[in-house]
Amino acid sequence: MPEILTVSQVTLYIKRLLETDEALQQVWVCGEISNFTLHSSGHMYFTLKDEKARLRAVMFRRENQWLKFRPYNGLEVVVCGRIAVYPKNGEYQIYVDLMEAAGLGSLYLAFEQLKERLAHEGLFAPERKKPLPRLPRKIGVITSPTGAAVRDIIKIIRRRHPRVDILVIPAQVQGDTAPASLVAALQTAGSLPDLDVVIIGRGGGSAEELWAFNDEGVARAIAACPHPVISAVGHETDFTIADLVADLRAPTPSGAAELSVPEIGELRNRIKLCTDNLTALFSRLYARKRAQIDRLSFHPVLRHPDRLVLARRQQVDEGKEALVRRMQFVLQERRKDLEQKLAQLEMVSPLAVLNRGYSICYRDADGRVVREAAEVDPGEGLRITFRRGQIYARVETVKKDVTLWTKK
Amino acid sequence: MDEKITEKTFEEALARLETIIGELEKGELNLDESLKLFEEGIALARHCNAKLEEAQGKVELLLGIEGGAAKTVPFQPEEE
C-alpha cells in the first residue's frame, strides 16, 4: 500500500523541489501581463502569459518602487525573479525582482545589457559626438545597394544638393552575417579620406531584421569611424544601439539624407543674403560718410569764406575811422597847444617890441645886436630894423655914458 | 589675403563672412577698416559660391579597395 500524504506534505515536497533548483532561483522570463492588480499594500499581483502557458507572478513593493513605468494588462515585459511555491493556493509563482517593458523578450534584455555596458564606457557621451560638416563634398552611404533606403537617400541628397558626391558602400543589413558586413563597410569608409560624412542604415523591418544595428561590434566600429556618422535605421520609433553611438541619429534613411546635406538653394540664398547685407551695409556707410562731407562742406564758413573777410574788413574800417578821429583830435590838441605857445612867444618876441615903436640896431660889420653905444665906433655902419623895413646908417658920434633913464 | 581665403573651408569662409557682417553692422569701424572688411567679405562670398559648386555630383558604388584606392562604378539605384 502506497504511503498516503497530506496536501501539505505534497505541497511542501514540491516546494522543496522547486526552491532548491539552481536554475529557478534567478530566471529571466518574458511574457504578457494579465490580471494585473495593485494591492493597497503596494504589492503587485499579476499573471505572465504567452500563447500556451501562464505563470503567476508577484512583485513586492520593495522591488516595484524602483519601476520606471507602470505595468498594465497586455504589456509585454521581461522579468527577473525566482520561482517559488505559495502553499496556501497550491500554486507556484515567480517572485519578481526586476521588470522591464519589452516587445522583444530576451533580445530586449540583451539590448539593455549592451546599452548599459556601452553607456558605462562612455560611448554615447555627447562630448564624443563629432560635428557634421555644413557642406560635405562626398557622402558615404553604408547600406544594401538594392533596398528602398539607398534609393531614398540618393534621391533626397540629389534633390537637396545635386553637386554632392555619393559613394554607396554595400553591406548586408540583416541576417547573421550583417554585423560583420557592416563592421567591414565602416572600416572601409574610415579608410577613405575623401568622405566627409557617413550614413549607415536600412529601411524599416521587424525588430529581428534591424537587429544587426544593435550589435556590439557594429557599435564599436561606428565609434571608431574617423568620419561623422549618421545612423538611419528603420522608422522613427526604432531605436538601436547604432543610433546611440552615431554622431547623429536620423529617424529614417530619408531623414539622414536631409540631415547630411544642406539644401543648395538655401545655401545660395544664404550667401546671397550675406552679399546683399554686405553691400547694403557698405552703401549705408558710404552714404553716412557722404552726408558727413556734405554737411561739412555746406557749413556757412566753407560756403561763404568772403563773409569771414567782410567781417574783418568792417573791423579794419572801424579801426581806421577810429584812428583818423584820434589823429584829428591829437592834431587839434597840438594845434591849440601850439597857438598857446605862439601867443606866449609873441609876448617875449622882440618883434612885439618893435610894434611898440622900438627898433633893433645891428653892427653892420658882423650883424651883432648893439646894446651899448660903446660897442660901436664912429664911422661904423649900422643896420636898424623897425616894425617894417630897415635902414642902413653910419655912426657920427658915440656918447658912451648917456643912459635913457639917467638924468643928465 | 586672397590666398588665405581660398584655403578656407566652406564653413570657415561662411562663418568669417557672417562675422564681418556683424562687425560692419556694429558700425564702429572707420572707413578704411570698413572698406577692407567689405573687400574681404566679397572675396569670401565668392569663395563660398565656388565651394558650393565644387563637387561633381557623382553617384558611385564601391566595389572594393585596391592598393589603398577605392574601385568604383557609377551607380543607379533600382526604381520601385
Side-chain angles (χ1 to χ4, degrees):
Chain A
M1 177 124 181
E3 190 186 348
I4 298 171
L5 300 171
T6 64
V7 172
S8 293
Q9 280 172 321
V10 172
T11 306
L12 199 66
Y13 180 78
I14 294 171
K15 184 177 162 73
R16 204 173 292 142
L17 213 58
L18 290 182
E19 292 177 11
T20 51
D21 187 316
E22 280 291 306
L24 296 178
Q25 291 320 293
Q26 197 191 0
V27 282
W28 290 91
V29 183
C30 66
E32 185 191 318
I33 291 176
S34 64
N35 298 324
F36 180 83
T37 3
L38 178 59
H39 196 266
S40 58
S41 60
H43 305 321
M44 291 172 176
Y45 301 96
F46 52 97
T47 305
L48 284 175
K49 64 169 189 185
D50 58 20
E51 301 86 53
K52 293 180 188 127
R54 291 163 176 268
L55 172 65
R56 294 282 302 159
V58 58
M59 190 174 195
F60 292 122
R61 198 166 77 120
R62 205 181 60 199
E63 279 79 40
N64 73 36
Q65 63 180 315
W66 307 111
L67 277 178
K68 293 183 199 75
F69 61 95
R70 176 100 183 246
Y72 54 88
N73 290 335
L75 179 69
E76 292 281 343
V77 291
V78 177
V79 301
C80 176
R82 66 192 167 85
I83 304 287
V85 172
Y86 184 54
K88 200 174 162 193
N89 288 359
E91 284 176 349
Y92 68 93
Q93 54 186 9
I94 182 164
Y95 291 82
V96 177
D97 296 321
L98 295 170
M99 184 196 293
E100 295 285 353
L104 295 178
S106 62
L107 281 183
Y108 178 81
L109 193 65
F111 173 87
E112 282 300 313
Q113 284 171 343
L114 176 61
K115 188 168 97 176
E116 200 173 312
R117 197 160 70 241
L118 296 181
H120 190 70
E121 281 180 39
L123 246 62
F124 310 149
E127 59 269 21
R128 282 195 78 259
K129 307 284 183 196
K130 290 183 276 293
L132 258 57
R134 261 158 95 176
L135 180 65
R137 254 171 298 173
K138 191 162 185 179
I139 299 175
V141 181
I142 298 176
T143 190
S144 159
T146 56
V150 76
R151 191 176 56 234
D152 291 349
I153 289 173
I154 291 171
K155 193 172 72 192
I156 288 169
I157 291 178
R158 306 284 295 159
R159 193 185 68 213
R160 288 174 66 84
H161 195 125
R163 301 201 66 96
V164 160
D165 295 336
I166 302 168
L167 178 64
V168 177
I169 303 166
Q172 284 171 346
V173 293
Q174 67 189 66
D176 291 344
T177 50
S181 174
L182 288 169
V183 169
L186 279 162
Q187 284 165 351
T188 302
S191 74
L192 298 172
D194 59 339
L195 293 182
D196 298 308
V197 61
V198 172
I199 296 174
I200 182 168
R202 55 155 291 148
S206 70
E208 286 77 9
E209 282 170 340
L210 304 185
W211 203 252
F213 292 89
N214 287 323
D215 181 80
E216 182 171 351
V218 172
R220 293 191 187 282
I222 290 173
C225 183
H227 308 305
V229 176
I230 304 176
S231 69
V233 183
H235 298 298
E236 175 113 42
T237 48
D238 299 321
F239 260 95
T240 62
I241 298 286
D243 289 326
L244 296 168
V245 191
D247 297 297
L248 186 67
R249 181 218 174 220
T252 59
S254 302
E258 280 179 18
L259 292 169
S260 68
V261 283
E263 226 183 338
I264 196 165
E266 222 167 80
L267 284 180
R268 285 190 181 124
N269 282 343
R270 181 100 167 274
I271 296 164
K272 181 166 185 316
L273 198 70
C274 279
T275 316
D276 289 353
N277 251 337
L278 207 57
T279 318
L281 277 168
F282 191 74
S283 50
R284 208 156 71 212
L285 176 81
Y286 178 80
R288 207 165 59 228
K289 295 289 174 195
R290 182 82 248 170
Q292 262 174 8
I293 294 169
D294 287 353
R295 205 164 55 240
L296 287 176
S297 56
F298 276 109
H299 193 280
V301 169
L302 289 181
R303 251 184 351 152
H304 303 288
D306 50 325
R307 282 186 192 169
L308 267 181
V309 179
L310 280 179
R312 294 287 186 282
R313 186 167 293 155
Q314 197 176 349
Q315 277 181 337
V316 170
D317 286 350
E318 278 167 10
K320 207 156 78 185
E321 254 171 59
L323 189 65
V324 168
R325 268 201 308 277
R326 181 77 198 151
M327 279 296 288
Q328 282 172 342
F329 177 75
V330 168
L331 279 177
Q332 216 169 345
E333 287 298 299
R334 285 275 187 284
R335 192 170 295 135
K336 260 193 234 163
D337 199 32
L338 187 63
E339 274 167 13
Q340 213 175 343
K341 292 272 164 49
L342 277 175
Q344 282 173 355
L345 205 57
E346 197 107 328
M347 284 204 281
V348 292
S349 163
L351 296 175
V353 178
L354 294 181
N355 270 338
R356 281 185 275 142
Y358 293 89
S359 53
I360 306 165
C361 178
Y362 303 88
R363 197 154 66 179
D364 200 25
D366 54 8
R368 273 182 58 189
V369 172
V370 179
R371 286 185 177 75
E372 289 180 23
E375 286 173 19
V376 295
D377 298 312
E380 232 177 321
L382 295 174
R383 185 164 47 93
I384 303 160
T385 300
F386 301 94
R387 188 179 75 173
R388 180 173 304 143
Q390 289 181 323
I391 56 172
Y392 289 82
R394 196 156 302 280
V395 178
E396 288 196 349
T397 319
V398 176
K399 284 184 182 169
K400 291 183 186 166
D401 302 331
V402 178
T403 345
L404 205 54
W405 312 110
T406 38
K407 288 156 217 124
K408 234 190 275 178
Chain B
M1 191 179 78
D2 261 4
E3 204 161 315
K4 262 166 74 188
I5 284 177
T6 53
E7 282 170 15
K8 278 191 198 308
T9 66
F10 179 83
E11 285 86 345
E12 288 166 347
L14 193 58
R16 173 74 186 140
L17 182 55
E18 280 163 351
T19 310
I20 283 177
I21 288 170
E23 281 297 310
L24 287 171
E25 263 168 356
K26 275 193 243 159
E28 287 164 2
L29 299 165
N30 67 34
L31 190 61
D32 279 348
E33 291 166 331
S34 303
L35 253 175
K36 226 193 236 161
L37 282 187
F38 176 70
E39 276 175 21
E40 191 188 341
I42 293 294
L44 284 165
R46 269 199 211 115
H47 178 60
C48 282
N49 271 325
K51 280 272 169 197
L52 212 52
E53 314 299 336
E54 202 172 62
Q56 296 168 319
K58 283 184 297 190
V59 182
E60 295 171 312
L61 179 70
L62 183 74
L63 297 179
I65 304 281
E66 273 179 21
K71 193 167 173 252
T72 62
V73 286
F75 181 69
Q76 176 73 51
E78 299 158 12
E79 284 307 312
E80 269 168 287

